[in-house]
Amino acid sequence: MQNFMYYVPTKIHFGTDQLGYLSELKESGSKVLLVYGGGSIKRSGLYDAAMKVLVEAGLEIFECAGVEPNPRIQTVRRGVEICKENKIDMVLAIGGGSTIDCAKVIAAGAVYEGNAWDLVINPPLIKAALPIYSVLTLSATGSEMDAFAVISDLTKNEKWGTASDCMKPKMSILDPTLTYTVSKKQTAAGTADMMSHTFENYFNFVEGSEMQAGFAESILRCAVKYGPIALEDPTNYDARASLMWCASFAINGTLNAGCAAAWCVHPMEHELSAFYDITHGEGLAILTPVWMEYILSEKTAPRIAQFGRNVMNVTEKDDMAAAKEAIAALKTFFFETMGLPANLRAVGIVEKDNFEVMAQKAANGCVGSYVPLSKEDIVEIFNRAF
Ligand code: NZQ
Ligand code: ZN
């Protein structure tokens, strides 16, 4: 196992009726910037319920609304301005990963003198951030308990992940019932996203990391079991709760502690989103089986076969044959059981003009991955996914 530093400072309040814990925000001061998306929290009544707690706690509330899926740097800048003008003490995100990511970079930008985009493309510049709180409404990204934030500038076809320990939320409320209203499309995409985070951590060649691999397999088994239940029965509490906790642990540093490898499917997907503004989890579902087929070799077959046997009920003894069965089973799960789009044309990408540029950027972003990928490899993966 490799050396590692493990730091997960986020306090989690998990379960039903946890909103009262928003009164804990008083620990960080009195002025709160509330960040939220396109209106789902107003339609569900969550906005009113949260406001009631915040007002009763004596907090002064400012708002940055309208965070886009694939959050834009322009929205981050708007939030930063509100923080600086009003001497905001803390940031509260209520929403999915996009809202939380946007809130994180607003919190860091609020205490940074320069342009907030600097913090997206150069993470070491993030030296401090206002305290960040979240109420999660969509199980997918794990942003509620991790250091990452992914921000886009679609005017330049750029989408980059940044990270800092100081952007890990101080407290997050995880109430599975708040995800009952998530659409089938976003439920499926979220399930694919948490599985992809798990795969990115699970596929490594580090000896002596059975605990991490077993934990990853457990998350994958839960996603495969509960994703379809949540699709069929959106108010199934155990399904929503399991997906929520799986999503947090897929990326909070537990699975890759001591066995880290650079991620590679994510850098490829971020290029799809940067150029075509597609839903992150759908892009991952399309790319993941193609990537697995592309990297399948005598060297990688044992781990892919292990995934097949321990997650997808593959019984084949030969590793290469079992790995092929595992990939086929994953395709069936994503594209038939979960109803996810199966190729790039299905998400509206109808030409290949940008593949070369996208592949070069993705290749720069995945140096040190499980199987090294060149620009040419990635162009081929995009072509096969087309
Ligand atoms: O904007 P609103 O109106 O809230 O609607 C959202 C949005 O349209 C809706 N939604 C959220 N909760 C809902 C709901 N609708 C009904 N009921 C609810 N309870 O769902 C839509 C998608 O929301 P979004 O936040 O964009 O989804 P997700 O959580 O999947 O976040 C995706 C973003 O996170 C980034 C992705 O790249 C993408 O930009 N990622 C962040 C990571 C991180 N911070 O660690 C890692 C990931 O790999 C990922 O890259
Ligand atoms: Zn992801």
Side-chain angles (χ1 to χ4, degrees):
M1 219 194 290
Q2 304 158 340
N3 295 352
F4 62 90
M5 191 279 283
Y6 185 72
Y7 174 64
V8 187
T10 308
K11 183 201 272 190
I12 299 290
H13 291 292
F14 194 104
T16 57
D17 303 318
Q18 305 288 312
L19 222 49
Y21 288 110
L22 284 178
S23 62
E24 288 181 6
L25 269 65
K26 283 188 293 188
E27 294 168 10
S28 297
S30 63
K31 290 184 174 183
V32 187
L33 179 69
L34 171 60
V35 181
Y36 58 97
S40 71
I41 70 163
K42 291 209 165 160
R43 290 191 291 279
S44 67
L46 175 57
Y47 174 88
D48 289 337
M51 276 300 205
K52 187 165 181 286
V53 180
L54 296 170
V55 170
E56 280 174 9
L59 292 156
E60 191 181 350
I61 303 135
F62 297 76
E63 294 194 17
C64 179
V67 177
E68 313 80 2
N70 295 328
R72 316 291 202 258
I73 187 62
Q74 291 76 8
T75 311
V76 171
R77 291 197 187 106
R78 179 155 57 85
V80 168
E81 239 170 72
I82 301 171
C83 288
K84 288 184 174 172
E85 273 172 20
N86 299 285
K87 300 199 166 35
I88 295 291
D89 296 312
M90 73 207 88
V91 180
L92 167 63
I94 305 187
S98 294
T99 294
I100 303 175
D101 285 4
C102 185
K104 285 176 171 177
V105 184
I106 290 173
V111 295
Y112 177 71
E113 283 309 314
N115 182 339
W117 185 247
D118 302 345
L119 307 176
V120 176
I121 55 173
N122 192 357
L125 288 177
I126 305 176
K127 305 285 186 214
L130 297 177
I132 297 155
Y133 295 83
S134 85
V135 179
L136 181 66
T137 66
L138 198 172
S139 304
T141 66
S143 189
E144 64 278 5
M145 208 176 175
D146 76 16
F148 304 104
V150 186
I151 302 294
S152 298
D153 185 346
L154 295 189
T155 65
K156 298 185 184 132
N157 296 122
E158 302 279 4
K159 173 172 178 169
W160 296 107
T162 184
S164 170
D165 276 344
C166 65
M167 293 197 307
K168 289 179 175 168
K170 187 172 161 72
M171 182 271 274
S172 288
I173 292 178
L174 272 56
D175 177 345
T177 67
L178 298 178
T179 66
Y180 284 176
T181 52
V182 175
S183 65
K184 278 190 193 299
K185 172 189 161 95
Q186 292 293 342
T187 299
T191 303
D193 190 22
M194 66 185 83
M195 289 178 71
S196 176
H197 299 159
T198 310
F199 286 136
E200 300 266 26
N201 291 323
Y202 179 68
F203 287 104
N204 65 72
F205 293 110
V206 181
E207 297 288 331
S209 55
E210 282 92 339
M211 177 271 196
Q212 296 88 326
F215 205 160
E217 288 163 7
S218 170
I219 289 175
L220 292 167
R221 276 194 300 275
C222 276
V224 168
K225 174 177 175 181
Y226 288 113
I229 296 176
L231 274 194
E232 276 304 303
D233 179 9
T235 60
N236 184 302
Y237 184 81
D238 286 335
R240 292 296 194 182
S242 294
L243 291 175
M244 193 168 242
W245 201 220
C246 281
S248 299
F249 265 81
I251 191 173
N252 74 358
T254 303
L255 303 186
N256 63 347
C259 53
W263 292 20
C264 64
V265 180
H266 270 68
M268 291 190 268
E269 193 298 311
H270 285 172
E271 294 309 317
L272 298 178
S273 293
F275 279 81
Y276 303 100
D277 199 16
I278 67 166
T279 298
H280 174 62
E282 294 187 339
L284 294 169
I286 294 165
L287 292 174
T288 299
V290 177
W291 167 75
M292 279 187 191
E293 276 170 350
Y294 191 79
I295 60 146
L296 180 58
S297 67
E298 290 300 326
K299 195 173 173 208
T300 59
R303 184 42 74 92
I304 302 177
Q306 183 183 336
F307 153 67
R309 294 183 189 115
N310 294 346
V311 179
M312 306 305 281
N313 299 319
V314 170
T315 53
E316 166 64 49
K317 297 272 184 306
D318 174 71
D319 278 348
M320 185 54 79
K324 287 181 182 164
E325 278 188 32
I327 297 169
L330 182 65
K331 285 186 189 173
T332 304
F333 175 73
F334 278 161
F335 308 137
E336 293 177 25
T337 311
M338 298 303 288
L340 285 153
N343 55 54
L344 297 181
R345 279 167 293 116
V347 290
I349 301 176
V350 294
E351 37 78 16
K352 302 178 173 184
D353 300 0
N354 298 310
F355 283 6
E356 295 274 330
V357 180
M358 290 159 57
Q360 183 59 61
K361 288 168 71 187
N364 297 341
C366 66
V367 173
S369 63
Y370 180 55
V371 173
L373 296 176
S374 67
K375 175 192 159 188
E376 289 69 30
D377 293 323
I378 296 174
V379 169
E380 179 58 19
I381 289 171
F382 285 149
N383 277 326
R384 291 187 190 183
F386 189 73

